[in-house]
Amino acid sequence: MNITAKIFGISQVVITALMMNAQTNTAKLPGDPSLVSTKATFDQLISYDKGNFKYKVEDYFARPKASQFKISPDGQYLSYKEKDKDSKNHVYVKDLKTGKITKALEEKDDLIRSYGWLDKKRLFYTQDRGGNENLHLYAADIDGKNLKDLTPFEGITLGTVKLIKDTPFVVVTMNKNNKQIFEPYKINFNTGEITQLYENKDVKSPIDDYIFDKDGNLRAYVVLENGLTSKLYYKDLQTGKFNLLKSTDWKNTFYIASFNENSKNKDEAYVVTNLDGDKSRIVLYDLKKDAVIKEVYSHPDFDVSSIGLAGKNRNYELDEISYNGIKNETIPVSKFYKEVHEKLASEFGDKQFYVVSSDDNDEKLLIVVDSDKIYGKYYEYDTKSKSIKLLFDLMPQLKEEDMAEMRPIEFKSRDGLTIRGYITLPKEALQGKKVPLIVNPHGGPQGIRDDWGFNPESQLFASRGYATLQVNFRISGGYGKEFQQSGYKQIGRKAMDDVEDGVKYVIDQGWIDKDKVAIYGGSHGGYATLMGLIKTPDLYSCGVDYVGVSNIFTFFDSFPEYWKPYKEMVKQIWYDLDNPEEAKIAKEVSPVFQIDKIKKPLFVVQGANDPRVNINESDQIVKALRAKGFEVPYMVKYDEGHGFGKEPNRIEFYKTMMGFFAKNFNQ
């Protein structure tokens, strides 16, 4: 059984991530190191977070002792990450017959970002340098030998990776020949031999997505014409020629999620589309005839874009469909998966559960179970005996009965839009006490949304008696294209109105002390923190800007080469700086030009190697505020990128932030 995956083209990945480029110079620290606050400053802030708390910051943000369990394709081995005394997460392989455990992959200075099985004897992993996101793909035997860098090129960015089952090959995309565009390569993961599969020649109208079938054959590709029009070309299986199938505005959706390898008709595919409606839905499509065969699944309120397919053993049948609604929902389709889903639902009730790994014969399934109060537990499900056993509790120190409820909310914006989100309420709020609130706008901002489930930040805040508000403001994804597009060119404006309206809503419910409201977020959430302190200076007690944008102009100037083909899209999402009227708006919603309006305490946090939001964004706001006599604690980690991935850095950040909130809530 394949893991359910949302499938995006390169353009969607790049736009969603807003991947800005930062160059790391080993001879000189990035940014202005003289701006960084002293350890004594952070220690003083940390000291304010004091009380008789049942849980420490480490209980929420120390990495699990073991994690990321996976079954080998033949079912003979169990792989997992295990943390050592220095907080390094190495990959181990356990022989399920003999019980022998071998260290397969060693994590050193840089984090192992992801890993998995290539075949029954070989593993892959991805790794960058200090959070710069220039990922390389590596392969090694299960005993750690025969280690190879499969993409041994300096300065390249790895795009997508597709394993070709039952062969020694993977197909990857990377910008090896031209930093602006991605091309596909077939790599032998045993020998490292690389073959380029297709050329991407037109920089002005590049190919930004390649679609392969299960055998690694290029069957379709998407050209991004002039940055705004997506043109899907499909291969005629008789002539071998690629013909234009669909031409759509970039704002609309029509993409091949997977070919229907279960069908004798080789032109059948599962397609995600919203061309004839507001919400994305899944249809079975005949690509040669350019016609819908049948609708597979749709929802009136939420986009649906995820499918799970069986493997070769069950002829690639459709197993399930999933989408994020109020909670994550799974619709079982195949007879096999209906039986699995029924068994798991009877065992785990209303908790969320996911099949995250399986052997090729679907005899052993690894299941992760979570909820708003459970971080995650791994279970092994034997599909023959129908037995379920607990494999590992990721956070056994966090007791479910002590965790806070994450409650879905819905309200109307000031201009009549239906806005959804979540409020996590500490026990004090449920007992009738008005509590402090931390407003937590999400990143992105376009196409991203907050989901229901365990949130370590919200639970940490609740342990201190604070509520957390997460608003899926206009421009958030998952609620249809009209809702998302209603936030275009409204970043820092109506998108912020929605956040403010959410604050008003939860205050009106009687849960919140209106005089103790803070705002904190990362990436766009960091930008929203700065704009919140500027736009509504009396609403918030303080704010924490974590890797946030401060100046839209310099933010745009830091686009890397591989972002340039998408610049016209960014103009339509954010602001067109070449248009004088929009440039004026962009300046009005660039925090660095509005610092005189910031009156409340601010804490700024940055990863020095951040490739999405350059350190210059944080340096600017800190320098500008200090120049007018406004003191700003500023934390920079020089081995991190867009958010802190290393455990000691994460723990220090959250300890300091909790002290910062405690100080400002109790003044």
Side-chain angles (χ1 to χ4, degrees):
M1 183 185 303
N2 292 343
I3 302 169
T4 299
K6 292 183 179 178
I7 303 171
F8 299 98
I10 292 172
S11 63
Q12 181 66 34
V13 173
V14 176
I15 292 170
T16 299
L18 285 176
M19 296 184 65
M20 309 304 132
N21 192 35
Q23 298 299 321
T24 303
N25 185 339
T26 56
K28 179 180 179 295
L29 291 175
D32 184 351
S34 69
L35 296 173
V36 181
S37 299
T38 64
K39 182 179 183 297
T41 298
F42 300 135
D43 288 343
Q44 181 62 45
L45 282 173
I46 290 170
S47 71
Y48 290 105
D49 181 41
K50 52 190 175 185
N52 188 24
F53 305 128
K54 185 171 183 178
Y55 295 104
K56 307 186 300 294
V57 167
E58 289 87 344
D59 292 323
Y60 298 95
F61 289 101
R63 298 292 188 191
K65 177 62 177 171
S67 62
Q68 296 187 36
F69 292 82
K70 301 176 191 292
I71 291 282
S72 65
D74 60 4
Q76 297 303 303
Y77 299 96
L78 178 70
S79 63
Y80 55 93
K81 281 187 175 182
E82 184 172 299
K83 186 173 68 173
D84 68 14
K85 60 181 178 58
D86 298 317
S87 298
K88 302 293 185 183
N89 285 270
H90 313 298
V91 175
Y92 291 83
V93 173
K94 179 179 182 180
D95 187 319
L96 295 175
K97 286 185 177 179
T98 67
K100 181 183 177 182
I101 297 173
T102 304
K103 182 191 286 188
L105 307 175
E106 184 176 4
E107 185 175 87
K108 296 180 180 177
D109 292 336
D110 293 308
L111 299 173
I112 293 175
R113 297 289 177 177
S114 63
Y115 90 95
W117 288 88
L118 291 166
D119 60 17
K120 62 183 181 181
K121 295 293 185 181
R122 203 146 165 78
L123 297 163
F124 75 85
Y125 68 98
T126 60
Q127 195 169 55
D128 66 1
R129 294 181 182 175
N132 68 4
E133 296 187 15
N134 288 333
L135 290 169
H136 282 227
L137 179 68
Y138 298 85
D141 293 342
I142 57 176
D143 59 3
K145 296 178 181 178
N146 195 19
L147 174 65
K148 290 187 181 297
D149 182 349
L150 299 180
T151 56
F153 311 104
E154 285 299 316
I156 65 100
T157 300
L158 185 66
T160 58
V161 179
K162 180 180 178 64
L163 172 65
I164 310 303
K165 289 285 289 184
D166 303 318
T167 77
F169 297 103
V170 291
V171 172
V172 308
T173 59
M174 54 184 168
N175 57 347
K176 175 178 175 288
N177 295 324
N178 186 320
K179 295 300 181 285
Q180 289 192 30
I181 53 182
F182 291 78
E183 295 173 305
Y185 298 81
K186 185 178 183 179
I187 304 177
N188 186 310
F189 57 70
N190 290 320
T191 67
E193 181 182 359
I194 300 176
T195 304
Q196 185 169 340
L197 298 178
Y198 207 80
E199 287 187 314
N200 197 357
K201 298 179 180 179
D202 190 346
V203 177
K204 291 186 177 179
S205 295
I207 299 171
D208 81 324
D209 194 15
Y210 302 87
I211 300 106
F212 296 87
D213 62 20
K214 65 178 176 60
D215 298 317
N217 301 308
L218 181 64
R219 297 281 304 279
Y221 58 79
V222 179
V223 170
L224 182 62
E225 187 174 78
N226 299 318
L228 295 175
T229 302
S230 290
K231 291 191 169 183
L232 173 62
Y233 288 82
Y234 178 62
K235 184 178 182 179
D236 186 307
L237 295 177
Q238 292 181 325
T239 67
K241 182 182 179 182
F242 286 89
N243 300 310
L244 179 63
L245 179 70
K246 278 299 179 205
S247 180
T248 62
D249 182 87
W250 74 271
K251 295 177 184 176
N252 293 318
T253 297
F254 185 94
Y255 66 86
I256 299 169
S258 175
F259 291 100
N260 183 14
E261 311 282 5
N262 182 252
S263 174
K264 293 181 180 179
N265 179 2
K266 298 302 180 184
D267 294 305
E268 276 188 27
Y270 294 104
V271 167
V272 177
T273 182
N274 64 7
L275 292 185
D276 52 359
D278 180 56
K279 307 296 188 297
S280 292
R281 72 191 205 280
I282 297 171
V283 298
L284 191 61
Y285 206 86
D286 189 309
L287 297 168
K288 186 173 184 178
K289 295 179 180 178
D290 191 14
V292 173
I293 298 171
K294 68 175 182 178
E295 181 167 303
V296 177
Y297 193 81
S298 63
H299 194 282
D301 298 320
F302 305 104
D303 291 327
V304 181
S305 61
S306 295
I307 60 174
L309 301 177
K312 181 179 179 180
N313 63 312
R314 288 189 284 111
N315 197 30
Y316 311 100
E317 66 180 341
L318 178 63
D319 268 338
E320 49 88 11
I321 298 150
S322 64
Y323 65 92
N324 268 325
I326 295 173
K327 297 181 180 180
N328 185 277
E329 303 289 348
T330 299
I331 313 300
V333 177
S334 67
K335 180 178 182 293
F336 173 86
Y337 198 77
K338 283 180 178 177
E339 292 178 357
V340 170
H341 190 271
E342 183 180 0
K343 175 67 175 179
L344 298 178
S346 67
E347 179 77 16
F348 301 119
D350 61 356
K351 297 179 178 66
Q352 297 181 148
F353 52 84
Y354 316 87
V355 178
V356 295
S357 182
S358 68
D359 61 63
D360 284 345
N361 292 321
D362 291 332
E363 294 177 0
K364 293 176 182 170
L365 309 183
L366 294 188
I367 315 296
V368 167
V369 177
D370 69 14
S371 73
D372 58 340
K373 298 182 179 182
I374 299 174
Y375 181 88
K377 297 180 181 181
Y378 276 88
Y379 290 83
E380 181 185 298
Y381 177 48
D382 187 309
T383 58
K384 287 188 173 181
S385 66
K386 312 297 183 187
S387 62
I388 300 173
K389 68 176 182 180
L390 178 65
L391 185 64
F392 196 81
D393 185 345
L394 293 171
M395 291 280 189
Q397 71 274 21
L398 299 177
K399 304 304 179 186
E400 182 179 356
E401 61 270 19
D402 294 330
M403 299 299 106
E405 174 191 0
M406 186 181 195
R407 182 177 298 183
I409 58 171
E410 183 178 302
F411 58 90
K412 289 290 185 182
S413 69
R414 65 191 67 179
D415 58 353
L417 282 184
T418 297
I419 308 293
R420 299 177 175 92
Y422 302 91
I423 182 82
T424 301
L425 296 168
K427 289 181 170 59
E428 295 89 337
L430 300 179
Q431 294 165 356
K433 180 183 177 182
K434 292 187 177 183
V435 300
L437 174 69
I438 297 172
V439 183
N440 185 206
H442 64 67
Q446 71 285 348
I448 305 296
R449 58 159 285 186
D450 283 316
D451 304 323
W452 186 88
F454 192 93
N455 186 313
E457 290 183 336
S458 300
Q459 293 296 340
L460 172 62
F461 299 158
S463 74
R464 272 46 176 176
Y466 311 151
T468 303
L469 173 65
Q470 296 168 282
V471 176
N472 285 325
F473 41 84
R474 69 190 74 198
I475 210 173
S476 299
Y479 299 103
K481 60 185 176 184
E482 183 179 335
F483 184 80
Q484 181 169 323
Q485 292 173 24
S486 70
Y488 291 172
K489 297 188 186 293
Q490 294 299 329
I491 296 170
R493 299 196 291 166
K494 288 186 178 180
M496 291 301 303
D497 291 348
D498 295 342
V499 174
E500 295 155 19
D501 292 345
V503 176
K504 181 179 185 302
Y505 171 81
V506 296
I507 288 174
D508 289 346
Q509 305 311 302
W511 298 316
I512 304 304
D513 181 344
K514 64 180 179 59
D515 296 320
K516 293 184 178 181
V517 179
I519 184 167
Y520 148 67
S523 195
H524 165 265
Y527 165 81
T529 292
L530 297 174
M531 281 307 302
L533 296 179
I534 288 164
K535 188 170 179 289
T536 49
D538 296 327
L539 182 60
Y540 300 111
S541 303
C542 60
V544 178
D545 163 21
Y546 185 29
V547 297
V549 174
S550 70
N551 182 337
I552 294 173
F553 295 85
T554 54
F555 179 49
F556 281 23
D557 285 343
S558 67
F559 290 171
E561 289 297 305
Y562 60 82
W563 181 227
K564 288 181 180 178
Y566 312 103
K567 195 168 185 178
E568 294 304 314
M569 289 187 196
V570 180
K571 289 180 179 180
Q572 293 194 9
I573 295 168
W574 286 69
Y575 300 99
D576 183 353
L577 303 184
D578 297 324
N579 179 316
E581 291 185 8
E582 291 193 24
K584 181 181 177 183
I585 295 170
K587 187 170 184 179
E588 291 171 352
V589 295
S590 288
V592 76
F593 300 116
Q594 312 294 332
I595 58 170
D596 288 342
K597 297 176 183 175
I598 296 180
K599 308 295 184 185
K600 300 297 176 59
L602 173 66
F603 174 29
V604 177
V605 184
Q606 181 69 41
N609 306 317
D610 191 339
R612 307 188 193 189
V613 178
N614 192 283
I615 189 173
N616 182 44
E617 295 300 309
S618 291
D619 278 4
Q620 282 183 78
I621 199 74
V622 171
K623 191 176 293 185
L625 284 167
R626 287 182 180 169
K628 71 163 195 169
F630 193 97
E631 183 50 41
V632 183
Y634 184 28
M635 176 182 287
V636 176
K637 294 299 178 184
Y638 290 93
D639 56 350
E640 296 283 10
H642 196 60
F644 294 174
K646 296 183 177 179
E647 183 178 308
N649 295 337
R650 286 160 59 89
I651 290 172
E652 182 185 355
F653 163 51
Y654 283 104
K655 283 184 173 181
T656 307
M657 180 164 61
M658 297 315 297
F660 179 79
F661 286 144
K663 176 185 177 183
N664 289 291
F665 281 150
N666 295 324
Q667 283 182 344

